[in-house]
Amino acid sequence: MPSTAESAPPAPFTADDYRARMARAARSAAEAGLSGLLVAPGPDLVHLTGYQPVPTERLTFLVLVEGRDPVLVVPALEAPDAERAAGGPALTLRDWTDGKDPYAVTAALLEGRGRYGISDNAWAMHLLGLQRELPGTTYTALTQALPLLRAVKDERELARLEAAGAAADEAYREILKVRFSGRKETDVAADLAALLLRFGHSQVDFTVVGSGPNGANPHHEAGERTIVEGDMVVLDFGGLKHGYGSDTTRTVHVGEPTEEERRVHDIVREAQQAGFEAVRPGAACQDVDRAARAVIDDAGYGTYFIHRTGHGIGVTTHEPPYMIEGEEQPLVPGMCFSVEPGIYLPGRFGVRIEDIVTVTDTGGRRLNNTPHELAVVE
């Protein structure tokens, strides 16, 4: 029987799926006191319509208002592509041609003094153009106005995230078989990228390989450093499979580790477990951060845990919600996010362990299932 990483692609989302998502988004906007939503090209538009144009200077906006049909304002030359999108049958298109005013076309769909949620990644020139056309309108970022817009996944989305996680796990199992010592970080990173593609990813977003002192930089990009015997190596990698993200981190050691290296790795492993055990419906996002951070603080390494404990994942590999102090958003079944504490000792080495976790009705479930123990590689 094929593994999850090698299984057949899931059934595609239908126009009805996208119609339901847009209706929920419009309803949520009204409940939040908004007049509607303006969704620009990017992850929000992909999630709501299945349409993924390349962002350009030409205006494209999905306009969602409760009680009205969804309208996509789109350049005329791109209208055929929009119609062919999976959610196209659920949309009314308003196209505009070069030389016409796209802001006037969009403004005709808005209230003159309305308050609208707008995609975080909308171009400033388009927002300013709308404000010139309708100076009485106001706007707020979607992640502030509707933080749960993409955060809660349905069963079909969870299946895609699970498949992406399983594929990343397969890549990790295979990378343990390659030689590390004597090779550059970029060589191992290339191996990881090839493995993600081999196990079904359509896009590789990152392959962090931080060896020795480079591992103390959480977002170190693989460089020309040659990995040597005695190095701790942080491996953080992920991308998209079936349109949904993977992201996992394991830390390995070239040859036998020292007692201190094992102790630091064990502390991070315990912190990751504590963060995972804090996941349950109704708990605040910050509770996950607090649980993981307490283990590292108690062990005396608190000043060396220098980032949040986690981030959401879905049609992008980093999105809300965030597991960080001060984030009081309650966890809801169907949320998916990373739990990834770390310890970073400048000039020496770093350790991070990361799984993607989904909230269930009773707690949490890991979407990454490779061992957390410190693996020894050659």
Side-chain angles (χ1 to χ4, degrees), residues 14 62 77 87 91 104 123 160 165 167 203 233 258 263 273 275 287 297-298 303 307-309 323 348:
T14 68
L62 172 67
L77 75 168
L91 296 167
W123 284 24
R160 286 162 167 78
Q203 176 178 311
V233 185
T258 66
R263 182 174 69 254
Q273 180 65 24
D287 293 340
D297 284 344
D298 290 347
T303 57
H307 57 72
R308 65 196 176 203
T309 294
M323 307 302 113
R348 301 184 63 202

Side-chain angles (χ1 to χ4, degrees), residues 216-279:
N217 175 357
H219 280 175
H220 169 71
E221 293 187 8
E224 295 301 305
R225 183 181 185 275
T226 298
I227 301 169
V228 298
E229 182 88 8
D231 277 348
M232 195 81 89
V233 185
V234 178
L235 305 172
D236 182 356
F237 52 98
L240 298 183
K241 179 175 181 177
H242 305 318
Y244 281 75
S246 69
D247 186 1
T248 188
T249 306
R250 295 291 184 266
T251 303
V252 303
H253 197 276
V254 184
E256 288 301 317
T258 66
E259 181 178 340
E260 180 192 19
E261 288 169 333
R262 283 196 179 278
R263 182 174 69 254
V264 171
H265 190 277
D266 284 345
I267 292 166
V268 174
R269 183 160 56 89
E270 292 170 11
Q272 207 276 342
Q273 180 65 24
F276 170 71
E277 292 177 357
V279 176

Side-chain angles (χ1 to χ4, degrees), residues 156-362:
R156 296 173 69 188
E157 291 180 290
L158 285 172
R160 286 162 167 78
L161 284 162
E162 190 168 7
D169 285 354
E170 294 285 358
Y172 174 68
R173 293 186 184 99
E174 290 297 313
I175 203 68
L176 294 180
K177 301 174 185 178
V178 311
R179 184 169 186 82
F180 282 66
S181 180
R183 302 177 70 214
K184 294 179 180 179
E185 292 174 342
T186 50
D187 296 331
V188 177
D191 289 342
L192 278 171
L195 287 167
L196 287 172
L197 295 173
R198 171 181 161 189
F199 290 113
H201 279 62
S202 60
Q203 176 178 311
V204 176
D205 284 352
F206 50 88
T207 51
V208 173
V209 179
S211 65
N214 289 341
N217 175 357
H219 280 175
H220 169 71
E221 293 187 8
E224 295 301 305
R225 183 181 185 275
T226 298
I227 301 169
V228 298
E229 182 88 8
D231 277 348
M232 195 81 89
V233 185
V234 178
L235 305 172
D236 182 356
F237 52 98
L240 298 183
K241 179 175 181 177
H242 305 318
Y244 281 75
S246 69
D247 186 1
T248 188
T249 306
R250 295 291 184 266
T251 303
V252 303
H253 197 276
V254 184
E256 288 301 317
T258 66
E259 181 178 340
E260 180 192 19
E261 288 169 333
R262 283 196 179 278
R263 182 174 69 254
V264 171
H265 190 277
D266 284 345
I267 292 166
V268 174
R269 183 160 56 89
E270 292 170 11
Q272 207 276 342
Q273 180 65 24
F276 170 71
E277 292 177 357
V279 176
R280 62 185 184 280
C285 291
Q286 68 181 3
D287 293 340
V288 179
D289 183 82
R290 288 174 175 177
R293 199 168 298 276
V295 173
I296 294 175
D297 284 344
D298 290 347
Y301 288 91
T303 57
Y304 302 108
F305 180 11
I306 55 177
H307 57 72
R308 65 196 176 203
T309 294
H311 58 82
I313 190 168
V315 294
T316 61
T317 48
H318 280 218
E319 62 185 46
Y322 299 105
M323 307 302 113
I324 189 171
E325 180 65 33
E327 180 51 78
E328 298 179 350
Q329 170 64 52
L331 300 181
V332 177
M335 281 183 174
C336 295
F337 49 84
S338 65
V339 178
E340 50 176 308
I343 292 175
Y344 309 93
L345 303 180
R348 301 184 63 202
F349 64 89
V351 176
R352 182 164 67 257
I353 299 173
E354 173 186 17
D355 292 328
I356 298 302
V357 173
T358 185
V359 184
T360 69
D361 290 337
T362 58

Side-chain angles (χ1 to χ4, degrees), residues 58 73-78 94-102 105:
R58 291 186 173 95
V73 180
V74 61
L77 75 168
E78 297 175 8
R94 295 282 180 87
D95 61 10
W96 59 275
T97 57
D98 287 350
K100 301 296 183 182
D101 185 355
V105 175

